[in-house]
PDB file of all heavy atoms in Angstrom:
ATOM      1  N   ILE A 135      63.672  98.703  31.502  1.00  0.00           N
ATOM      2  CA  ILE A 135      64.005  99.164  30.146  1.00  0.00           C
ATOM      3  C   ILE A 135      63.098  98.463  29.129  1.00  0.00           C
ATOM      4  O   ILE A 135      62.548  99.086  28.228  1.00  0.00           O
ATOM      5  CB  ILE A 135      65.496  98.889  29.830  1.00  0.00           C
ATOM      6  CG1 ILE A 135      66.372  99.796  30.715  1.00  0.00           C
ATOM      7  CG2 ILE A 135      65.805  99.118  28.356  1.00  0.00           C
ATOM      8  CD1 ILE A 135      67.831  99.413  30.733  1.00  0.00           C
ATOM      9  N   LEU A 136      62.923  97.136  29.317  1.00  0.00           N
ATOM     10  CA  LEU A 136      62.046  96.393  28.407  1.00  0.00           C
ATOM     11  C   LEU A 136      60.606  96.887  28.522  1.00  0.00           C
ATOM     12  O   LEU A 136      59.857  96.896  27.545  1.00  0.00           O
ATOM     13  CB  LEU A 136      62.118  94.891  28.716  1.00  0.00           C
ATOM     14  CG  LEU A 136      63.426  94.200  28.313  1.00  0.00           C
ATOM     15  CD1 LEU A 136      63.524  92.820  28.949  1.00  0.00           C
ATOM     16  CD2 LEU A 136      63.518  94.079  26.783  1.00  0.00           C
ATOM     17  N   GLY A 137      60.209  97.310  29.724  1.00  0.00           N
ATOM     18  CA  GLY A 137      58.858  97.840  29.937  1.00  0.00           C
ATOM     19  C   GLY A 137      58.644  99.114  29.139  1.00  0.00           C
ATOM     20  O   GLY A 137      57.629  99.269  28.447  1.00  0.00           O
ATOM     21  N   LEU A 138      59.606 100.020  29.224  1.00  0.00           N
ATOM     22  CA  LEU A 138      59.480 101.264  28.459  1.00  0.00           C
ATOM     23  C   LEU A 138      59.517 100.974  26.963  1.00  0.00           C
ATOM     24  O   LEU A 138      58.806 101.614  26.175  1.00  0.00           O
ATOM     25  CB  LEU A 138      60.591 102.244  28.857  1.00  0.00           C
ATOM     26  CG  LEU A 138      60.452 102.807  30.272  1.00  0.00           C
ATOM     27  CD1 LEU A 138      61.642 103.677  30.636  1.00  0.00           C
ATOM     28  CD2 LEU A 138      59.151 103.607  30.412  1.00  0.00           C
ATOM     29  N   ALA A 139      60.334  99.985  26.577  1.00  0.00           N
ATOM     30  CA  ALA A 139      60.384  99.594  25.161  1.00  0.00           C
ATOM     31  C   ALA A 139      59.037  99.032  24.717  1.00  0.00           C
ATOM     32  O   ALA A 139      58.574  99.286  23.605  1.00  0.00           O
ATOM     33  CB  ALA A 139      61.490  98.559  24.933  1.00  0.00           C
ATOM     34  N   THR A 140      58.366  98.286  25.618  1.00  0.00           N
ATOM     35  CA  THR A 140      57.039  97.733  25.305  1.00  0.00           C
ATOM     36  C   THR A 140      56.045  98.865  25.063  1.00  0.00           C
ATOM     37  O   THR A 140      55.235  98.813  24.141  1.00  0.00           O
ATOM     38  CB  THR A 140      56.547  96.840  26.463  1.00  0.00           C
ATOM     39  OG1 THR A 140      57.481  95.780  26.623  1.00  0.00           O
ATOM     40  CG2 THR A 140      55.173  96.261  26.182  1.00  0.00           C
ATOM     41  N   ALA A 141      56.124  99.898  25.926  1.00  0.00           N
ATOM     42  CA  ALA A 141      55.198 101.024  25.774  1.00  0.00           C
ATOM     43  C   ALA A 141      55.483 101.795  24.484  1.00  0.00           C
ATOM     44  O   ALA A 141      54.565 102.277  23.826  1.00  0.00           O
ATOM     45  CB  ALA A 141      55.300 101.952  26.983  1.00  0.00           C
ATOM     46  N   ALA A 142      56.754 101.912  24.134  1.00  0.00           N
ATOM     47  CA  ALA A 142      57.131 102.759  22.990  1.00  0.00           C
ATOM     48  C   ALA A 142      56.979 102.054  21.648  1.00  0.00           C
ATOM     49  O   ALA A 142      56.558 102.670  20.662  1.00  0.00           O
ATOM     50  CB  ALA A 142      58.573 103.238  23.154  1.00  0.00           C
ATOM     51  N   TYR A 143      57.293 100.751  21.586  1.00  0.00           N
ATOM     52  CA  TYR A 143      57.366 100.094  20.275  1.00  0.00           C
ATOM     53  C   TYR A 143      56.026 100.117  19.538  1.00  0.00           C
ATOM     54  O   TYR A 143      55.985 100.154  18.308  1.00  0.00           O
ATOM     55  CB  TYR A 143      57.900  98.656  20.402  1.00  0.00           C
ATOM     56  CG  TYR A 143      56.838  97.592  20.377  1.00  0.00           C
ATOM     57  CD1 TYR A 143      56.327  97.118  19.168  1.00  0.00           C
ATOM     58  CD2 TYR A 143      56.310  97.068  21.548  1.00  0.00           C
ATOM     59  CE1 TYR A 143      55.327  96.162  19.144  1.00  0.00           C
ATOM     60  CE2 TYR A 143      55.317  96.121  21.537  1.00  0.00           C
ATOM     61  CZ  TYR A 143      54.828  95.667  20.338  1.00  0.00           C
ATOM     62  OH  TYR A 143      53.831  94.740  20.315  1.00  0.00           O
ATOM     63  N   THR A 144      54.937 100.106  20.315  1.00  0.00           N
ATOM     64  CA  THR A 144      53.623 100.089  19.663  1.00  0.00           C
ATOM     65  C   THR A 144      53.441 101.332  18.789  1.00  0.00           C
ATOM     66  O   THR A 144      52.772 101.291  17.769  1.00  0.00           O
ATOM     67  CB  THR A 144      52.496 100.006  20.706  1.00  0.00           C
ATOM     68  OG1 THR A 144      52.726 101.011  21.702  1.00  0.00           O
ATOM     69  CG2 THR A 144      52.465  98.655  21.363  1.00  0.00           C
ATOM     70  N   GLY A 145      54.071 102.438  19.214  1.00  0.00           N
ATOM     71  CA  GLY A 145      54.021 103.652  18.396  1.00  0.00           C
ATOM     72  C   GLY A 145      54.775 103.477  17.096  1.00  0.00           C
ATOM     73  O   GLY A 145      54.336 103.924  16.040  1.00  0.00           O
ATOM     74  N   PHE A 146      55.911 102.789  17.159  1.00  0.00           N
ATOM     75  CA  PHE A 146      56.681 102.516  15.934  1.00  0.00           C
ATOM     76  C   PHE A 146      55.942 101.501  15.063  1.00  0.00           C
ATOM     77  O   PHE A 146      55.992 101.571  13.844  1.00  0.00           O
ATOM     78  CB  PHE A 146      58.074 101.976  16.278  1.00  0.00           C
ATOM     79  CG  PHE A 146      58.922 102.962  17.043  1.00  0.00           C
ATOM     80  CD1 PHE A 146      59.249 102.742  18.367  1.00  0.00           C
ATOM     81  CD2 PHE A 146      59.377 104.110  16.436  1.00  0.00           C
ATOM     82  CE1 PHE A 146      60.013 103.649  19.075  1.00  0.00           C
ATOM     83  CE2 PHE A 146      60.151 105.033  17.122  1.00  0.00           C
ATOM     84  CZ  PHE A 146      60.467 104.802  18.452  1.00  0.00           C
ATOM     85  N   LEU A 147      55.281 100.541  15.722  1.00  0.00           N
ATOM     86  CA  LEU A 147      54.512  99.513  15.005  1.00  0.00           C
ATOM     87  C   LEU A 147      53.468 100.184  14.110  1.00  0.00           C
ATOM     88  O   LEU A 147      53.364  99.885  12.920  1.00  0.00           O
ATOM     89  CB  LEU A 147      53.828  98.586  16.016  1.00  0.00           C
ATOM     90  CG  LEU A 147      52.964  97.473  15.449  1.00  0.00           C
ATOM     91  CD1 LEU A 147      53.816  96.262  15.131  1.00  0.00           C
ATOM     92  CD2 LEU A 147      51.875  97.059  16.434  1.00  0.00           C
ATOM     93  N   LEU A 148      52.708 101.106  14.709  1.00  0.00           N
ATOM     94  CA  LEU A 148      51.695 101.810  13.924  1.00  0.00           C
ATOM     95  C   LEU A 148      52.367 102.739  12.915  1.00  0.00           C
ATOM     96  O   LEU A 148      51.893 102.900  11.794  1.00  0.00           O
ATOM     97  CB  LEU A 148      50.766 102.615  14.840  1.00  0.00           C
ATOM     98  CG  LEU A 148      49.916 101.844  15.845  1.00  0.00           C
ATOM     99  CD1 LEU A 148      48.896 102.767  16.482  1.00  0.00           C
ATOM    100  CD2 LEU A 148      49.201 100.679  15.203  1.00  0.00           C
ATOM    101  N   GLY A 149      53.487 103.338  13.315  1.00  0.00           N
ATOM    102  CA  GLY A 149      54.185 104.284  12.438  1.00  0.00           C
ATOM    103  C   GLY A 149      54.657 103.650  11.141  1.00  0.00           C
ATOM    104  O   GLY A 149      54.754 104.312  10.112  1.00  0.00           O
ATOM    105  N   ALA A 150      54.943 102.345  11.175  1.00  0.00           N
ATOM    106  CA  ALA A 150      55.453 101.663   9.971  1.00  0.00           C
ATOM    107  C   ALA A 150      54.332 101.195   9.053  1.00  0.00           C
ATOM    108  O   ALA A 150      54.587 100.694   7.966  1.00  0.00           O
ATOM    109  CB  ALA A 150      56.326 100.477  10.376  1.00  0.00           C
ATOM    110  N   ALA A 151      53.082 101.346   9.509  1.00  0.00           N
ATOM    111  CA  ALA A 151      51.950 100.947   8.663  1.00  0.00           C
ATOM    112  C   ALA A 151      51.703 102.061   7.654  1.00  0.00           C
ATOM    113  O   ALA A 151      50.973 103.011   7.916  1.00  0.00           O
ATOM    114  CB  ALA A 151      50.712 100.687   9.518  1.00  0.00           C
ATOM    115  N   LYS A 152      52.327 101.939   6.513  1.00  0.00           N
ATOM    116  CA  LYS A 152      52.357 103.026   5.530  1.00  0.00           C
ATOM    117  C   LYS A 152      50.969 103.377   4.987  1.00  0.00           C
ATOM    118  O   LYS A 152      50.759 104.482   4.491  1.00  0.00           O
ATOM    119  CB  LYS A 152      53.282 102.611   4.366  1.00  0.00           C
ATOM    120  CG  LYS A 152      53.963 103.772   3.682  1.00  0.00           C
ATOM    121  CD  LYS A 152      54.939 103.257   2.639  1.00  0.00           C
ATOM    122  CE  LYS A 152      55.420 104.336   1.708  1.00  0.00           C
ATOM    123  NZ  LYS A 152      56.303 105.309   2.301  1.00  0.00           N
ATOM    124  N   GLY A 153      50.050 102.425   5.099  1.00  0.00           N
ATOM    125  CA  GLY A 153      48.709 102.699   4.573  1.00  0.00           C
ATOM    126  C   GLY A 153      47.965 103.761   5.354  1.00  0.00           C
ATOM    127  O   GLY A 153      47.114 104.461   4.825  1.00  0.00           O
TER     128      GLY A 153
END
Side-chain angles (χ1 to χ4, degrees):
Chain A
I135 292 167
L136 288 167
L138 291 175
T140 300
Y143 100 83
T144 50
F146 297 111
L147 179 86
L148 297 190
K152 210 175 167 70

